């Protein structure tokens, strides 16, 4: 079928929803802070309007690079604008749907961080204290602190590199498995550590597995409860859930399609899986509207105290481009127009996600393509950021492979498995 016949555009403008993003119900035990009486920003006129044609071009480029479908939702002072292309289900042919849910992968790390930082605010955890103080004997080095986990500076090896070295067999071996947190930590500790504590940024899922353990230790409850009580409910994120180890995505959802390592092999439907290999590092399910509400509320200070938000947004570089940074469970990308956006990227089998917001929380973008293990599609999807926040069209599909730095910070990962393809 030609690409154009797959394509559907959806546009909605909902000023009220955009402005109401993140308001809390009164009386909730974990109620988010009320919206501060924000002064009207006179600088708004200087902010580039989103180029929604450019957003569509980036989504099309993700499709031209192997994604069955893609979508993006921009929430800004002018309201909400959504775009969808392609299909959310290759068998039924159902069109991509902006309200469909999907696996957000590592965007979950930002949710886990918010929970942990709320616990820090409550005096239950201290960021510069040894992890072993809270989880005695867990780690082989008392110098590893809670902050080292949140900044990917613990040196704990990323066990997923070995787990998914062979993409499809690796995935099939774990798609129905249920791991305990301890088992995942043991997998990490069976490999050499990658850095002395605090010395350098080494991305590792193991860090956020330990964050999940800390949350459970301190609250005495499953991480699912903490997400729900502290974030999903107060922000009314009705399409966001953490259902581990359930393998299904309930309700209207996108089907995910994993690219095998051998070029030309058929895509593997990877929708159903436990995501137990990631849990608090990557198993949340959501949709673009909820993700925009989340990052906007976070940046507007509705989830954390000013001090904790300052800590979360204090970043160090993740590579040498001087455009990619990491704070606490949060990325910062410095875009070509000078705009800084905060959020996270996600990769879980069959799904690439970007969710980012400006520091004032006034503009947010969430984008998803229903494929993975295909860096060119991920890079192309990253083009939605420049289009949305800088009003720029991305490079045409053919040159997308070399154009965008969207996955640049992954160069610091040992396996380099998610990089744009090289020629
Ligand atoms: C796991 C393998 C990738 C995916 C991973 N995902 O570490 C975490 C995440 C949860 O979202 N990280 C992203 C698989 C990159 C982030 O933090 O931004 N790749 C795939 C392979 C490669 O199997 N052999 O692409 O689906």
């Amino acid at each position: 079928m030609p690409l154009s016949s797959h394509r559907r555009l959806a546009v909605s403008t909902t000023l009220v929803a955009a402005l109401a993003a993140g308001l809390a119900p009164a009386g909730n035990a974990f109620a988010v802070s009320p919206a501060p009486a924000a002064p009207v920003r006179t600088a708004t006129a200087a902010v580039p309007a989103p180029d929604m044609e450019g957003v569509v071009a980036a989504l099309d480029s993700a499709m031209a690079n192997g994604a069955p479908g893609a979508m993006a939702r921009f929430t800004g002072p002018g309201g909400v604008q959504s775009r969808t292309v392609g299909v959310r289900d290759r068998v039924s042919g159902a069109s991509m749907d902006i309200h469909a849910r999907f696996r957000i992968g590592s965007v979950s790390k930002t949710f886990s961080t918010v929970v942990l930082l709320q616990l820090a605010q409550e005096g239950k955890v201290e960021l510069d204290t040894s992890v072993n103080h809270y989880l005695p004997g867990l780690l082989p080095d008392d110098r590893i602190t809670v902050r080292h986990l949140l900044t990917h500076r613990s040196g704990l090896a990323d066990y997923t590199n070995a787990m998914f070295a062979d993409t499809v067999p690796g995935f099939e071996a774990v798609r129905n498995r249920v791991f305990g947190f301890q088992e995942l930590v043991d997998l990490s500790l069976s490999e050499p550590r990658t850095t002395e504590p605090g010395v350098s940024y080494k991305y590792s899922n193991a860090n956020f597995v330990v964050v999940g353990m800390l949350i459970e230790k301190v609250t005495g409850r499953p991480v699912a409860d903490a997400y729900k009580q502290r974030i999903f409910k107060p922000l009314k994120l009705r399409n966001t859930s953490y259902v581990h180890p359930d393998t299904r995505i309930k309700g209207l959802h996108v089907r995910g399609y994993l690219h095998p390592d051998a070029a030309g092999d058929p895509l593997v439907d990877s929708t159903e899986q436990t995501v137990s290999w990631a849990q608090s590092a990557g198993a949340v399910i959501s949709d673009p509207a909820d993700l925009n509400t989340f990052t906007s509320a976070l940046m507007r200070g509705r989830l954390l105290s000013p001090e904790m938000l300052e800590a979360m947004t204090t970043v160090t570089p993740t590579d040498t481009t001087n455009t990619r940074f990491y704070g606490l469970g949060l990325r910062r990308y410095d875009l070509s127009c000078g705009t800084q956006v905060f959020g996270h990227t996600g990769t879980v089998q069959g799904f690439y996600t970007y969710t980012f917001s400006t520091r004032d929380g006034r503009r947010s973008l969430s984008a998803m393509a229903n494929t993975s293990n295909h860096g060119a599609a991920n890079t192309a999807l990253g083009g939605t950021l420049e289009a949305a926040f800088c009003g720029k069209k991305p490079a045409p599909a053919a040159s997308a492979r070399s154009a965008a730095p969207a996955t640049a910070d992954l160069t610091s990962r040992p396996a380099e498995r998610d990089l744009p393809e090289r020629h």
Side-chain angles (χ1 to χ4, degrees):
M1 216 186 308
L3 292 185
S4 57
S5 65
H6 277 305
R7 185 157 136 194
R8 203 187 100 218
L9 300 183
V11 185
S12 65
T13 301
T14 320
L15 261 171
V16 176
L19 296 172
L23 288 179
N28 186 305
F30 299 100
V32 292
S33 323
V40 177
R41 272 185 43 155
T42 47
T44 303
V47 168
D51 174 356
M52 295 310 291
E53 277 180 29
V55 167
V56 172
L59 300 178
D60 280 343
S61 178
M63 279 187 67
N65 282 295
M71 62 176 160
R73 179 181 178 102
F74 179 81
T75 306
V80 177
Q81 301 192 67
S82 300
R83 299 289 188 273
T84 62
V85 302
V87 295
R88 64 180 169 83
D89 183 328
R90 293 177 79 219
V91 173
S92 73
S95 299
M96 187 55 72
D97 189 318
I98 200 68
H99 301 296
R101 309 167 77 219
F102 53 90
R103 300 194 186 282
I104 65 171
S106 286
V107 180
S108 310
K109 291 182 171 74
T110 311
F111 285 81
S112 300
T113 302
V114 166
V115 170
L116 198 69
L117 294 183
Q118 286 191 358
L119 294 169
Q121 265 170 229
E122 293 159 20
K124 295 173 182 151
V125 191
E126 214 284 311
L127 296 184
D128 295 310
T129 295
S130 169
V131 171
N132 281 347
H133 173 77
Y134 303 103
L135 297 164
L138 179 72
L139 302 182
D141 192 328
D142 285 343
R143 294 174 301 164
I144 299 174
T145 66
V146 176
R147 197 188 300 270
H148 291 152
L149 301 174
L150 297 172
T151 51
H152 289 295
R153 285 169 181 270
S154 68
L156 297 176
D158 192 348
Y159 56 86
T160 67
N161 291 320
M163 189 179 267
F164 301 125
D166 202 353
T167 302
V168 174
F171 169 62
E172 295 296 358
V174 301
R175 86 185 282 165
N176 291 309
R177 270 199 70 173
V178 180
F179 292 98
F181 279 139
Q182 182 71 54
E183 282 179 273
L184 298 175
V185 172
D186 290 346
L187 283 177
S188 168
L189 295 179
S190 70
E191 296 180 35
R193 283 190 279 147
T194 54
T195 176
E196 288 286 301
V199 170
S200 61
Y201 170 89
K202 300 280 182 196
Y203 185 95
S204 174
N205 286 301
N207 292 317
F208 284 80
V209 165
V210 179
V211 167
M213 292 178 95
L214 279 170
I215 291 169
E216 295 202 341
K217 181 71 192 278
V218 169
T219 63
R221 304 281 308 156
V223 285
D225 290 5
Y227 292 137
K228 201 188 280 181
Q229 289 168 10
R230 293 173 177 273
I231 306 176
F232 304 165
K233 270 195 174 172
L235 294 182
K236 299 195 175 90
L237 305 183
R238 297 201 177 85
N239 276 324
T240 305
S241 56
Y242 181 87
V243 297
H244 174 265
D246 194 337
T247 56
R248 293 162 300 170
I249 307 176
K250 287 195 186 131
L252 178 68
H253 63 274
V254 181
R255 299 201 69 80
Y257 299 96
L258 175 63
H259 267 82
D261 291 331
D265 278 5
L267 299 180
V268 173
D269 185 329
S270 51
T271 314
E272 280 83 26
Q273 67 152 315
T274 59
V275 205
S276 199
W277 58 269
Q279 301 187 52
S280 45
V284 173
I285 292 166
S286 191
D287 75 0
D290 277 5
L291 289 177
N292 282 355
T293 299
F294 172 61
T295 56
S296 166
L298 175 61
M299 289 299 130
R300 286 169 181 243
R302 297 186 191 168
L303 291 166
L304 296 174
S305 67
E307 295 74 26
M308 282 299 161
L309 188 54
E310 180 62 26
M312 194 173 184
T313 53
T314 298
V315 298
T316 54
T318 57
D319 63 13
T320 53
T321 65
N322 211 29
T323 60
R324 300 291 181 256
F325 305 86
Y326 209 83
L328 304 182
L330 191 71
R331 295 188 190 280
R332 189 182 97 193
Y333 282 6
D334 291 3
L335 303 178
S336 65
C337 55
T339 299
Q340 296 180 341
V341 290
F342 294 83
H344 220 288
T345 43
T347 303
V348 64
Q349 288 84 3
F351 303 95
Y352 283 133
T353 303
Y354 288 76
T355 185
F356 284 85
S357 180
T358 48
R359 182 62 189 84
D360 61 7
R362 286 167 62 87
R363 293 180 289 152
S364 306
L365 175 94
S366 293
M368 190 274 330
N370 56 344
T371 197
S372 70
N373 196 39
H374 206 57
N378 196 19
T379 300
L381 187 68
T384 54
L385 294 175
E386 285 283 330
F389 294 110
C390 292
K392 278 200 181 154
K393 285 195 178 39
S399 56
R401 286 159 198 236
S402 56
T407 51
D409 104 288
L410 295 168
T411 48
S412 57
R413 304 191 62 177
E416 294 197 345
R417 57 179 186 227
D418 205 13
L419 285 172
E421 287 171 351
R422 289 187 207 89
H423 293 286

